[in-house]
Amino acid sequence: SRVSNLLDVTRAKDDADRVKKLAIAVKAFNHHDKDTHDADIKSGAISIVCNVLRSCSPFFIAKSKEVQHLCKILLQLLRCNEDRARAAFCLDGSALITVLLEVIEINYRLGRKGDVKCLVLVQNVFEKLIHLARVPLTMVKRHNELLICLINYINGVTGKLAMYHSIRCIATLSEHTLNKQAVLTFPNLMASVEICARHMCEAVRQEAAKTIFHLTMATKNKTQLTHTSKSSWMDVVLTLTADRERSVQAKIYAINALSHLATENENKIVMVRHNDGFLIASLLRIASDVGLKTSSSKLSQQAAKLLGALTCRATASRIG
């Protein structure tokens, strides 16, 4: 009967009737029985909600009450068991993220004229989806469309909130071992990561640094990132470590990414010679805690360890 309530929404006579039917559905799904939520999701509840949400586009502001109800239902359904939630992400995650980013962008752009409550609910749903995104991309339905959507929100003329959620989604996807090579080689995706790494918003830069950190954990990626001819990723990472205004966490991600690259012997010489020793100078500054607004012993220790890792017979004279 709960899923039937959702189907009734699709047969509503008008907007007022749809809001009324959605309010009934919100009450029906408002419980904490995980197995019951599992059964409803298996019956297609999330797919139905996604389709109704998409039908609101592009009139999300005029239909903000409907969007609020739909987000509440999604949050209730995602009280299900973890395995069922991840399966739901694989089936409907791409479509949901695409439409939720649209809602976020519209409300953020409108500022005070937007629906704050709706924006908060949408971000709460997005938070749940981000947690579920640690799955192989090949298991995600229409994953290519998802990545293209995320790239477009980063590269396009969008607000920083949609950009932040987009790069955050990429960072989470890049955590999975099976995704690291796919993310690195997907057309235009790394260019988007570079845009985020140079963005004025600290939260966006941090997620970009996290993405690079995750990607450098894969052996196949280490040489490609160090020797790539299209863009010098050493410069991108150094941007995150060298600027005094960068957050400490972003710096830690960036230095750890460099540490991953330094585990390959053929990378050490390239890294030490890069930009006439600028990497070494940056690491020495951080290791000695010179020029930082706030002291971070962990950051200094990581920089010192990296200097040690880069030292070998071929590089000793330059570092020394």
Side-chain angles (χ1 to χ4, degrees):
S1 62
R2 291 174 302 278
V3 177
S4 297
N5 288 336
L6 278 179
L7 289 172
D8 285 343
V9 173
T10 64
R11 296 187 284 265
K13 296 178 293 184
D14 51 35
D15 288 348
D17 188 36
R18 185 147 78 162
V19 170
K20 183 179 178 180
K21 291 180 182 296
L22 280 170
I24 294 171
V26 169
K27 291 181 180 179
F29 286 104
N30 190 19
H31 61 83
H32 294 271
D33 188 330
K34 291 186 177 183
D35 292 337
T36 301
H37 284 311
D38 284 0
D40 290 338
I41 292 173
K42 193 174 181 180
S43 298
I46 288 183
S47 296
I48 296 170
V49 172
C50 183
N51 288 333
V52 176
L53 191 56
R54 291 167 72 181
S55 71
C56 295
S57 177
F59 309 106
F60 291 118
I61 300 302
K63 300 185 177 184
S64 61
K65 196 65 180 178
E66 295 175 37
V67 176
Q68 288 179 31
H69 285 321
L70 290 165
C71 287
K72 287 177 183 177
I73 293 171
L74 284 171
L75 289 169
Q76 291 163 354
L77 286 167
L78 291 174
R79 294 170 183 167
C80 62
N81 289 295
E82 185 81 4
D83 290 344
R84 177 54 59 188
R86 291 197 184 279
F89 178 87
C90 291
L91 181 62
D92 296 304
S94 294
L96 276 174
I97 286 174
T98 300
V99 70
L100 290 174
L101 282 172
E102 186 178 353
V103 179
I104 289 172
E105 178 65 9
I106 289 174
N107 279 280
Y108 180 78
R109 284 288 184 181
L110 287 173
R112 292 182 179 180
K113 293 182 179 180
D115 190 321
V116 175
K117 187 175 181 180
C118 183
L119 184 58
V120 170
L121 283 168
V122 170
Q123 290 188 92
N124 288 342
V125 176
F126 213 96
E127 188 73 27
K128 293 280 188 181
L129 294 176
I130 288 291
H131 174 71
L132 299 172
R134 296 174 178 87
V135 294
L137 272 169
T138 52
M139 294 178 62
V140 179
K141 184 179 179 181
R142 297 179 178 176
H143 61 272
N144 285 339
E145 293 178 24
L146 170 61
L147 293 178
I148 291 171
C149 170
L150 298 174
I151 290 169
N152 288 340
Y153 270 103
I154 292 172
N155 295 358
V157 185
T158 56
K160 67 178 181 180
L161 193 58
M163 176 182 277
Y164 166 70
H165 286 296
S166 297
I167 186 61
R168 191 174 173 215
C169 189
I170 291 172
T172 305
L173 288 167
S174 67
E175 283 187 43
H176 199 285
T177 304
L178 298 179
N179 294 343
K180 298 185 188 302
Q181 185 70 14
V183 169
L184 181 67
T185 57
F186 194 85
N188 302 317
L189 194 150
M190 292 308 293
S192 299
V193 175
E194 181 175 354
I195 290 172
C196 292
R198 302 182 189 277
H199 197 266
M200 66 178 67
C201 175
E202 182 178 310
V204 172
R205 295 195 304 267
Q206 184 168 312
E207 292 302 318
K210 187 190 295 184
T211 302
I212 298 169
F213 165 72
H214 289 152
L215 294 178
T216 56
M217 296 175 73
T219 302
K220 289 184 178 180
N221 291 349
K222 293 176 183 178
T223 301
Q224 190 168 346
L225 282 167
T226 308
H227 298 268
T228 180
S229 58
K230 293 181 180 179
S231 174
S232 177
W233 279 99
M234 209 82 67
D235 288 332
V236 176
V237 179
L238 284 172
T239 297
L240 293 163
T241 63
D243 194 326
R244 296 182 181 184
E245 299 300 322
R246 304 305 185 190
S247 72
V248 171
Q249 187 56 57
K251 287 175 180 285
I252 290 174
Y253 280 131
I255 290 176
N256 284 337
L258 290 171
S259 297
H260 290 156
L261 296 177
T263 59
E264 298 295 315
N265 287 329
E266 62 185 30
N267 290 347
K268 293 182 180 181
I269 298 175
V270 175
M271 294 172 71
V272 170
R273 291 177 177 175
H274 179 74
N275 200 8
D276 198 24
F278 181 68
L279 184 148
I280 300 301
S282 298
L283 292 176
L284 285 170
R285 176 180 55 79
I286 297 171
S288 58
D289 203 26
V290 174
L292 296 178
K293 285 187 175 181
T294 179
S295 178
S296 172
S297 58
K298 183 177 180 181
L299 186 62
S300 299
Q301 289 170 9
Q302 291 299 107
K305 285 182 180 179
L306 177 53
L307 285 168
L310 287 170
T311 304
C312 62
R313 181 173 295 180
T315 63
S317 59
R318 285 181 173 268
I319 295 177

